[in-house]
Amino acid sequence: MTRVLVTNDDGLLSPGIGVLAECARQVFDEVLVVAPASEKSGVGHGLTLHTLLRSEQHGEATWSISGTPVDCVLFALGHLCAEARPDLVLSGINRGPNLGWDVYYSGTVGAAREGLVKGIPAVALSMVGPGYPFEAIAPAVTRILEGVRDRGVPPGTVLNVNIPTPRDEDVEAGVSWAGVPGLRGLHVTRLGQRSYSDEIIVREDPRGQPYIWIGGSMPRMENIAGTDCQAVMSGYVSMTPLALDTTHYRALEALEPWNSEEP
């Protein structure tokens, strides 16, 4: 792997993508950054089909797009590097976790997944608060990217990585991983369970017109062994392999009676 595409869903000016791009430059030969012009959190795998897009170049090998993270990947692959496709897509570092069912809402994961749709291995990286000291975790990000470079990504896989903010008690205890005080290590995990209340708030604006806000309380994470949620709650980086195929294979036999050759 020598050439990588870096994107995100927090926008080009977010600090997370700056740290990820700098870490990538330490590991890979060529780094192209293409990110949304503004924050696009929660857009999942959405793409823009009915509205024109604008692009703007910001110095060498850095672009913004007035669309979604998936739009950014498509623009990069179909235009900027159509003749020399990247070897890897990196998405992040997201300001906030992408754990459990978050992977279906996340624009960060959506961009990485689009890379895989196009046959390019991909890694999505997110940081779990409280607080987002991106610079402090940069050595861990570099370690992960070096591992991806040297070991590769399993075929048909997006690696979904969540890095917790180092806990004070672990820093005080002298715990360290990849040169980052307070990180306990890295665990390969499966998706956990992280649920939201999904409260719908309906109010009126100053002109008496109703508006809707999707909100709710802080999500609840289940402490289930072997999951990404448990890993970050325990101070570990989680790395979860995700696949494109979401077929429920165990249900195929149960649905067999539905098969029919009748017109």
Side-chain angles (χ1 to χ4, degrees):
M1 293 182 178
T2 61
R3 183 183 299 108
V4 300
L5 169 63
V6 175
T7 188
N8 73 348
D9 74 355
D10 288 330
L12 182 63
L13 299 181
S14 69
I17 195 172
V19 171
L20 179 56
E22 182 56 35
C23 292
R25 292 185 185 104
Q26 297 178 33
V27 178
F28 304 100
D29 296 333
E30 299 178 42
V31 176
L32 172 65
V33 178
V34 184
S38 59
E39 182 171 346
K40 299 293 181 180
S41 297
V43 300
H45 207 103
L47 70 162
T48 303
L49 296 178
H50 305 292
T51 305
L52 61 82
L53 297 174
R54 305 283 187 184
S55 65
E56 183 177 356
Q57 187 168 6
H58 305 262
E60 185 178 358
T62 302
W63 294 75
S64 66
I65 302 295
S66 61
T68 69
V70 169
D71 293 334
C72 294
V73 174
L74 293 174
F75 174 71
L77 299 184
H79 179 64
L80 297 179
C81 47
E83 303 300 323
R85 284 159 55 91
D87 305 305
L88 178 70
V89 173
L90 300 174
S91 185
I93 306 167
N94 190 62
R95 187 180 185 276
N98 279 306
L99 299 162
W101 313 144
D102 290 343
V103 299
Y104 293 101
Y105 301 102
S106 168
T108 303
V109 178
R113 189 184 295 115
E114 183 61 25
L116 186 58
V117 168
K118 296 298 185 288
I120 301 171
V123 182
L125 300 102
S126 304
M127 189 168 191
V128 184
Y132 299 98
F134 292 108
E135 294 286 351
I137 65 162
V141 174
T142 301
R143 169 77 69 85
I144 292 166
L145 297 185
E146 289 172 341
V148 169
R149 177 198 62 194
D150 298 340
R151 300 171 183 168
V153 176
T157 302
V158 170
L159 296 180
N160 186 43
V161 176
N162 283 272
I163 305 173
T165 297
R167 302 181 299 185
D168 291 340
E169 58 267 34
D170 289 333
V171 173
E172 294 171 0
V175 173
S176 177
W177 180 76
V180 179
L183 289 184
R184 303 187 67 85
L186 183 150
H187 283 175
V188 176
T189 61
R190 67 181 187 275
L191 289 179
Q193 296 181 19
R194 189 168 185 261
S195 57
Y196 297 80
S197 66
D198 292 331
E199 179 182 358
I200 304 299
I201 300 169
V202 181
R203 295 176 179 168
E204 289 188 356
D205 65 21
R207 297 186 177 184
Q209 299 299 312
Y211 69 87
I212 301 167
W213 192 274
I214 298 177
S217 60
M218 292 296 292
R220 186 182 73 252
M221 294 195 297
E222 301 296 336
N223 192 6
I224 302 173
T227 65
D228 52 4
C229 295
Q230 188 214 35
V232 299
M233 291 170 66
S234 303
Y236 291 87
V237 176
S238 70
M239 177 181 286
T240 307
L242 306 177
L244 293 177
D245 185 356
T246 59
T247 303
H248 194 322
Y249 286 96
R250 287 181 295 176
L252 290 176
E253 183 176 353
L255 292 171
E256 180 66 27
W258 284 79
N259 279 323
S260 174
E261 296 182 359
E262 296 179 4

